[in-house]
Amino acid sequence: MKDPGHGGNSSFRFGADYYPEHWPRERWATDAKMMAELGFNTVRLAEFAWSMMEPAEGKFEFSWLDDALETLSKHGIKAVLGTPTAAPPPWLVKAHPDILQVDAQGRRKPEGTRKNCCAVNPNYIEHTKRIVEAMVLHYKDNPSVIGWQIDNEFDVNLCYCENSIRAFRSWLKEKYGSVERLNSACGLVFWGQEYGSWDEVFPPRPPFDMQNPALCLEWHRFSSDAWINYQRLQVEIIRRHAPHHMVTHNFMGLYKELDYFKLARDLDFVSFDYYPRWSSKVDYAASAMAHDLMRSLKMKPYWIMELQSGAVKTRLAPIPRPGEIRLWTVQSVARGADGILYFRWRSCRFGAEEYWHGILDHDGTPRRRFFEVKKVSGELFRIAPFFENTFFDANTGILLVYDNLWAWDLEVGYGGENYYGMAAWEPVLDVYRALYKRNIPVDFVNPLSDGLNKYRALFAPSLMLLNDRLEDSLRSYVSRGGVLIATPRTGAKDWNNNIVDKPLPGRLSDLFGVTVEEYTGLPEGEGCEAVFLGKKAFFKARNWMEKLAVEDAEVIAEYGSGMYAGKPVATMKSLGKGTAIYLGTFASAEFYDELVNWLLGRSIVEEVLPNVQGVEATRRKGNGKEILFFLNHGDKDVEINLGGRIFRDLLSGERLSGLVRIERLGFKAATPS
Ligand code: GLA
């Protein structure tokens, strides 16, 4: 096997987030040399360095960054530049204190930190445009710069400043045209809150359980749009001056307050900040789900812009165990990443993140994390020719609508808890865990995208908000032969977040052939057993139970005990080649396991590798190549069974078939032979 060598030649981007401004210049050459030893070809720079690049208004100072780029380029290392807009310089805050966000209690966010600005503030926007334009003009022809990361980890942080309130009113006006229409769409007649004019409108403040849910959802939509627009104005400047540069943003995986599908639309690709170990327990299913979501946002390879390489800054945070950084690195590639940068090159001696550790400790001495990165670097660049220009391919999908997650969170009971006692991701995770366990490749699918028919099975976990387009899209998916699986509260609300005036599951009752006759929060201690698809399978109902009136469907599971004993809890309706399955409770894992077995048995979904506890198996394909990854996240060596299939281990060159041992926290990358 030809070794393509480290770094330079590969399209695979590998490196770290580097803050040269935190270290004496004399150190830079040493850093660059050490990075070259790790095979690095890429760093991210300048992300929070606004005050260094513009120390006073209009006085730009890029020479330090030019020098850093020059030092790195001597080792073939290129850079993604971060626009520094997440960290306003003190002179800007002093000149325009109004750029700081205002919280729901009317308090301004503190100065002296980052991510404290309001996305619709005209002063912030104007200064953002200036610094971004100055940077792009300065760097567009610098061969060391390959692209841009916009800002840093956008989050919504609902802002109640005057500009936000004004912008919210304009946003509503644009959408509804008149206050009468707004009143009626949101049901503001309740508690007599109808508006007589636009200047009476204020964004809802917590506690949200005392506010109008429809207006709350609009406020959330507006706030998400505000950051998407703020990102767009930066993207446009970069594209205008440097169309040859790629543009990305670093997303936060399962962060859900921003509509990530929309945020991704304006970018060339998505980047993901991946920090799996926050405590002694890593939730590998949730971690894999975050990767799958990041990949799905654009259905394209993504980057890890920040991969955990040391202990994070939480109480008693554990350092990654030996082998974990290597495994997370390979896992990222295995799930579809084409670039990996570690956060951060070296742990910083000062500032709010003094205990957020990097590859190097504060003293800059290479230790085990450095050597672990070196090891995996060598391995990755050897297998890179086999995964370059391949992609993670799935024929099972989970439908995801961000508005629905927000609406779910707004279903608050008295006391602030979600009405169903469940976090918004839980219905999704229930499904995902069952698929992950069986190594079934999954995409997250925006139901309004064109590509639904590519999926043999689509899960619609508690898709509560529906509108005509969504409804049509789901109907046509089933009529073309797809298998659609829906869980409680599907179709319970319209797009405005008002409850529908139809029997549930609302507009889709006829598709599933059922109506919900009654529902209840689960009485204390109540569970159920069910006869599932003719086989005795037990699962528990969780939190919520619906009693289904079956009109035109087969009952596939019944409540076995409790107030609905003997009544249907899950149904299946065949429509031509398509199937619509409805589940009327948040079932425990056994239900999903059985359902997945059923889908596997009919080859509706496919597994990359039969389930072995703790082993994650994925496949990337394309351009005549196929590469499989088997990752052992567990503490013990395991054996997987490849059956009759024959593979070649891409690192050792060995032939693999039958039982194959994978060491603890180890992996195999293999290609069919
Ligand atoms: C985030 C940010 C980084 C840094 C790390 C560690 O992911 O993007 O700037 O703050 O977390 O806190």
Side-chain angles (χ1 to χ4, degrees):
M1 187 192 321
K2 189 169 172 299
D3 187 335
H6 252 165
N9 308 330
S10 178
S11 66
F12 177 65
R13 310 309 311 189
F14 192 61
D17 304 308
Y18 182 41
Y19 300 87
E21 66 276 22
H22 296 172
W23 305 99
R25 270 173 186 254
E26 307 79 70
R27 172 72 190 198
W28 294 1
T30 309
D31 283 338
K33 191 158 166 269
M34 286 167 80
M35 288 181 191
E37 186 185 336
L38 297 187
F40 283 4
N41 54 25
T42 312
V43 289
R44 183 191 65 193
L45 298 175
E47 195 201 21
F48 299 113
W50 194 340
S51 73
M52 273 72 73
M53 292 185 287
E54 192 184 8
E57 182 167 350
K59 181 172 172 281
F60 294 104
E61 180 49 81
F62 293 116
S63 61
W64 66 273
L65 187 54
D66 298 345
D67 293 349
L69 284 162
E70 173 69 24
T71 307
L72 293 157
S73 74
K74 293 198 175 112
H75 294 275
I77 299 170
K78 309 265 186 202
V80 171
L81 298 182
T83 67
T85 47
W91 60 258
L92 178 57
V93 180
K94 176 160 180 285
H96 301 289
D98 58 299
I99 68 171
L100 297 176
Q101 288 171 12
V102 171
D103 71 13
Q105 283 73 41
R107 295 169 306 203
R108 285 241 175 249
K109 284 266 180 82
E111 52 285 272
T113 184
R114 66 176 185 183
K115 293 161 78 95
N116 46 1
C117 292
C118 169
V120 298
N121 179 286
N123 290 317
Y124 182 45
I125 289 178
E126 184 204 321
H127 285 277
T128 292
K129 286 181 175 164
R130 278 188 331 94
I131 183 69
V132 173
E133 182 149 57
M135 279 183 86
V136 183
L137 289 175
H138 188 84
Y139 287 110
K140 67 188 172 60
D141 299 319
N142 184 320
S144 287
V145 175
I146 57 171
W148 300 83
Q149 172 195 296
I150 308 289
D151 203 279
N152 171 265
E153 295 188 340
F154 284 125
D155 49 21
V156 157
N157 275 334
L158 303 171
C159 174
Y160 292 83
C161 76
E162 284 185 4
N163 288 300
S164 277
I165 294 171
R166 262 200 301 275
F168 180 48
R169 289 176 185 155
S170 310
W171 186 90
L172 289 171
K173 204 165 164 181
E174 170 95 356
K175 181 162 177 180
Y176 291 99
S178 70
V179 277
E180 291 72 28
R181 289 242 274 284
L182 174 69
N183 290 336
S184 126
C186 293
L188 287 161
V189 66
F190 185 77
W191 283 351
Q193 293 303 311
E194 285 176 305
Y195 297 118
S197 66
W198 289 107
D199 54 10
E200 291 171 13
V201 179
F202 283 93
R205 291 173 199 259
F208 290 125
D209 58 338
M210 289 293 132
Q211 298 278 349
N212 177 292
L215 195 65
C216 287
L217 182 60
E218 292 298 51
W219 173 226
H220 202 124
R221 284 175 170 146
F222 159 81
S223 303
S224 173
D225 279 1
W227 286 106
I228 290 161
N229 294 337
Y230 178 75
Q231 173 179 264
R232 185 173 307 130
L233 68 92
Q234 298 202 24
V235 174
E236 282 170 0
I237 294 170
I238 295 170
R239 294 218 197 282
R240 185 164 354 115
H241 297 299
H244 54 297
H245 281 168
M246 51 92 180
V247 186
T248 186
H249 171 71
N250 52 338
F251 291 61
M252 296 183 281
L254 300 187
Y255 178 77
K256 61 176 167 41
E257 309 309 334
L258 266 169
D259 186 331
Y260 269 180
F261 281 117
K262 277 196 195 169
L263 190 70
R265 224 173 270 160
D266 292 322
L267 302 169
D268 291 308
F269 63 89
V270 165
S271 297
F272 168 32
D273 292 350
Y274 182 35
Y275 294 91
R277 181 170 284 296
W278 286 77
S279 66
S280 54
K281 203 169 160 0
V282 176
D283 183 342
Y284 273 103
S287 297
M289 178 163 128
H291 280 279
D292 289 350
L293 175 57
M294 297 294 95
R295 186 192 63 246
S296 300
L297 294 175
K298 285 189 86 74
M299 293 295 173
K300 264 174 106 167
Y302 58 105
W303 284 22
I304 307 297
M305 194 57 94
E306 300 180 8
L307 174 54
Q308 181 174 356
S309 63
V312 300
K313 181 195 158 186
T314 53
R315 186 178 166 270
L316 298 176
I319 194 165
R321 292 179 299 166
E324 277 187 330
I325 297 173
R326 171 175 174 252
L327 196 58
W328 298 334
T329 305
V330 179
Q331 180 200 22
S332 303
V333 170
R335 300 207 84 85
D338 269 3
I340 294 179
L341 271 57
Y342 296 94
F343 188 85
R344 50 191 286 155
W345 169 243
R346 178 171 171 185
S347 318
C348 194
R349 293 176 44 235
F350 35 74
E353 294 192 339
E354 56 186 351
Y355 287 115
W356 207 293
H357 299 83
I359 296 173
L360 297 176
D361 291 312
H362 299 89
D363 65 1
T365 307
R367 297 200 175 84
R368 80 148 161 100
R369 304 198 300 284
F370 178 92
F371 294 109
E372 191 169 319
V373 171
K374 185 168 176 174
K375 178 175 178 185
V376 73
S377 165
E379 292 167 329
L380 274 185
F381 281 106
R382 281 176 63 193
I383 60 175
F386 298 92
F387 67 73
E388 276 163 344
N389 301 314
T390 64
F391 191 52
F392 186 100
D393 181 43
N395 69 13
T396 303
I398 298 179
L399 295 171
L400 184 69
V401 177
Y402 279 92
D403 308 63
N404 190 62
L405 295 174
W406 305 334
W408 185 264
D409 275 341
L410 288 166
E411 299 264 285
V412 202
Y414 281 107
E417 264 247 348
N418 172 283
Y419 190 61
Y420 315 105
M422 290 174 85
W425 280 122
E426 266 185 77
V428 183
L429 266 162
D430 283 349
V431 170
Y432 188 86
R433 287 187 199 288
L435 298 166
Y436 175 76
K437 217 167 19 183
R438 303 299 295 261
N439 293 308
I440 294 166
V442 189
D443 285 340
F444 283 87
V445 187
N446 177 351
L448 296 176
S449 63
D450 296 334
L452 257 52
N453 296 323
K454 146 170 201 245
Y455 300 97
R456 310 270 321 271
L458 274 180
F459 289 84
S462 301
L463 214 49
M464 187 165 68
L465 299 191
L466 285 183
N467 58 21
D468 291 347
R469 281 179 64 206
L470 266 168
E471 182 193 333
D472 287 351
S473 157
L474 299 183
R475 261 180 213 292
S476 98
Y477 170 73
V478 176
S479 71
R480 291 193 201 178
V483 178
L484 179 69
I485 301 122
T487 64
R489 306 305 284 153
T490 298
K493 290 193 152 179
D494 63 22
W495 200 244
N496 292 329
N497 203 17
N498 296 317
I499 294 176
V500 295
D501 58 0
K502 300 180 169 55
L504 303 185
R507 309 151 86 109
L508 292 177
S509 293
D510 64 312
L511 183 68
F512 294 102
V514 293
T515 53
V516 177
E517 204 170 77
E518 187 178 286
Y519 56 70
T520 174
L522 189 66
E524 187 94 8
E526 195 144 302
C528 75
E529 63 184 43
V531 178
F532 184 58
L533 293 162
K535 182 177 162 195
K536 194 88 175 157
F538 298 92
F539 65 90
K540 288 201 170 64
R542 196 157 107 249
N543 296 27
W544 184 260
M545 298 197 297
E546 293 174 352
K547 182 176 158 204
L548 304 180
V550 179
E551 272 147 31
D552 176 22
E554 180 193 346
V555 175
I556 56 171
E558 283 173 357
Y559 292 104
S561 58
M563 63 189 284
Y564 294 149
K567 303 288 181 215
V569 58
T571 60
M572 180 184 294
K573 177 173 170 181
S574 302
L575 293 110
K577 284 199 192 128
T579 306
I581 295 175
Y582 186 82
L583 170 66
T585 185
F586 300 112
S588 63
E590 296 84 353
F591 174 84
Y592 292 102
D593 291 344
E594 274 313 314
L595 182 62
V596 167
N597 277 339
W598 182 85
L599 293 165
L600 276 167
R602 277 152 192 77
S603 304
I604 296 166
V605 300
E606 48 141 19
E607 53 192 358
V608 174
L609 178 83
N611 177 23
V612 177
Q613 186 66 32
V615 174
E616 184 173 322
T618 71
R619 181 179 52 222
R620 291 180 61 153
K621 287 202 286 201
N623 288 303
K625 299 188 245 186
E626 183 172 352
I627 176 167
L628 283 90
F629 293 89
F630 307 117
L631 311 151
N632 179 7
H633 292 293
D635 276 332
K636 297 194 177 67
D637 294 3
V638 289
E639 272 189 342
I640 57 172
N641 192 346
L642 298 179
R645 291 185 289 174
I646 302 171
F647 294 92
R648 182 161 53 89
D649 183 325
L650 290 175
L651 288 174
S652 70
E654 281 169 18
R655 182 177 181 275
L656 303 175
S657 69
L659 291 178
V660 171
R661 192 168 197 79
I662 308 194
E663 63 190 19
R664 62 184 289 275
L665 298 176
F667 75 93
K668 295 259 179 243
T671 192
S673 75

